[in-house]
Amino acid sequence: STSPQNKKVVLEEFTGIKCTYCPDGHKRANELKAANEGNVFLVNINSGGYATPGAGEPDMRTPEGDIIDDASGLTGYPAGSVNRFKDPRAENRDKWSASASTILSQSSPVNAYVKAYFDQETRELTTEVELYYTANGSADNKLTVMLTQDNILGPQTGGTLFNPENFIGNDYVHNHVLRDVITPGGAWGETISETSQGNYTYKKYVTVLPESIKNIPLKFYNLNVVAFVSESDNNNILTGYEAKVDFDRTGAMDLSLTDKTSASSGLCVDPFKPVVEVNNPSTLTV
């Protein structure tokens, strides 16, 4: 949009698979996102000693995540940086909601939009970003585009205690996991050359994705891109946007689930049998 908008929130959550209280942070962050759909975007940064995997465990750490963690000023895990607008950047999970409310009420000088498409044949990820300044920005604005992944299964200390709903079988579901930074310039992104009112900036990035990063498969159907504009390195995120990575779904193997249960209405009903129908619309055998 070219109309002025309020800021959107980017919550960078510092976490680790051996952090007992981190699942509570995951739950709180998800609740914050659900309560502000389209205005809050999550990036889970696995960093610090609690993120060090044991034998056979997934390694979700990234070099950029370590740099962001080191600059955050955190004193424990989980911690979260809401738009990097405080000093120190990181704060305790019980403060995320209030900080997000403050940010969401402020006007932003810039609007951001991002979309991405993955070509399964070439493994090229094409990411496009649009920025429009509705007011004058500072001289040193940076654009950062992060690649995140959902549905990474693995262990999580404290998961059964603080987020027991977030399991598939015995595996904890790790979402919004930072996998890479797409923009040049490393952790802090690249400089935006024009930040005056009325300026429009378009960026296109073509990235060849590997089959996996460290020991975790990079499953294209679970990927997202998060783009945001900040003031200089590691400072004050003005706004952001998130998009699920799109791809050609022709021939995709995807089951559907339909509720076929017939139950009487009312608070007190006779016993009934739940019935579901599973359908495979593809030409492939599951």
Side-chain angles (χ1 to χ4, degrees):
S1 174
T2 57
S3 300
Q5 296 180 350
N6 280 0
K7 293 180 180 179
K8 299 184 186 299
V9 163
V10 178
L11 170 57
E12 296 167 300
E13 181 180 352
F14 304 101
T15 184
I17 59 174
K18 300 184 185 303
C19 166
T20 301
Y21 294 102
C22 283
D24 184 52
H26 304 159
K27 187 172 184 178
R28 290 175 186 242
N30 288 331
E31 290 172 348
L32 179 62
K33 179 181 175 71
N36 299 276
E37 194 62 40
N39 292 310
V40 172
F41 313 115
L42 308 179
V43 178
N44 282 20
I45 297 175
N46 287 260
S47 54
Y50 291 118
T52 303
E57 294 178 337
D59 188 351
M60 293 178 279
R61 297 171 297 175
T62 61
E64 296 86 357
D66 290 342
I67 292 172
I68 298 170
D69 176 299
D70 290 342
S72 71
L74 62 80
T75 57
Y77 297 84
S81 171
V82 180
N83 280 45
R84 304 175 183 170
F85 85 115
K86 290 185 176 180
D87 191 12
R89 306 286 180 242
E91 55 188 357
N92 202 350
R93 60 192 183 279
D94 61 351
K95 296 180 172 61
W96 297 347
S97 182
S99 293
S101 295
T102 299
I103 292 293
L104 292 171
S105 67
Q106 297 173 347
S107 61
S108 171
V110 60
N111 298 335
Y113 180 78
V114 65
K115 67 177 182 178
Y117 178 83
F118 180 76
D119 187 317
Q120 299 177 55
E121 296 295 327
T122 63
R123 295 200 62 83
E124 286 185 345
L125 176 70
T126 301
T127 306
E128 296 175 278
V129 182
E130 290 184 319
L131 305 176
Y132 185 82
Y133 279 82
T134 60
N136 291 327
S138 60
D140 187 19
N141 279 190
K142 295 290 187 75
L143 169 64
T144 304
V145 181
M146 293 178 167
L147 182 69
T148 67
Q149 184 172 342
D150 295 331
N151 299 314
I152 297 175
L153 302 182
Q156 177 62 63
T157 303
T160 55
L161 185 61
F162 291 105
N163 200 1
E165 303 86 1
N166 195 48
F167 280 83
I168 294 178
N170 294 322
D171 288 320
Y172 190 82
V173 183
H174 296 271
N175 292 317
H176 327 295
V177 178
L178 174 64
R179 304 307 314 278
D180 196 12
V181 175
I182 294 172
T183 36
W188 311 129
E190 66 171 320
T191 299
I192 303 167
S193 57
E194 296 291 337
T195 61
S196 58
Q197 183 177 4
N199 181 72
Y200 169 81
T201 296
Y202 169 82
K203 293 284 186 178
K204 181 178 180 179
Y205 309 97
V206 179
T207 311
V208 178
L209 298 183
E211 294 282 348
S212 63
I213 296 177
K214 294 188 176 178
N215 60 346
I216 303 173
L218 203 61
K219 297 182 178 180
F220 62 87
Y221 47 84
N222 286 328
L223 298 178
N224 313 283
V225 286
V226 179
F228 56 86
V229 178
S230 62
E231 292 181 321
S232 71
D233 291 354
N234 187 39
N235 188 38
N236 194 25
I237 294 174
L238 299 172
T239 198
Y241 202 81
E242 179 183 35
K244 188 168 183 61
V245 171
D246 196 13
F247 55 91
D248 184 359
R249 299 170 191 274
T250 303
M253 182 167 54
D254 190 13
L255 299 181
S256 65
L257 185 69
T258 307
D259 182 7
K260 295 287 186 177
T261 305
S262 296
S264 303
S265 59
L267 296 177
C268 298
V269 299
D270 293 329
F272 64 92
K273 294 182 178 180
V275 179
V276 295
E277 179 182 88
V278 180
N279 182 47
N280 176 10
S282 77
T283 59
L284 303 175
T285 300
V286 177

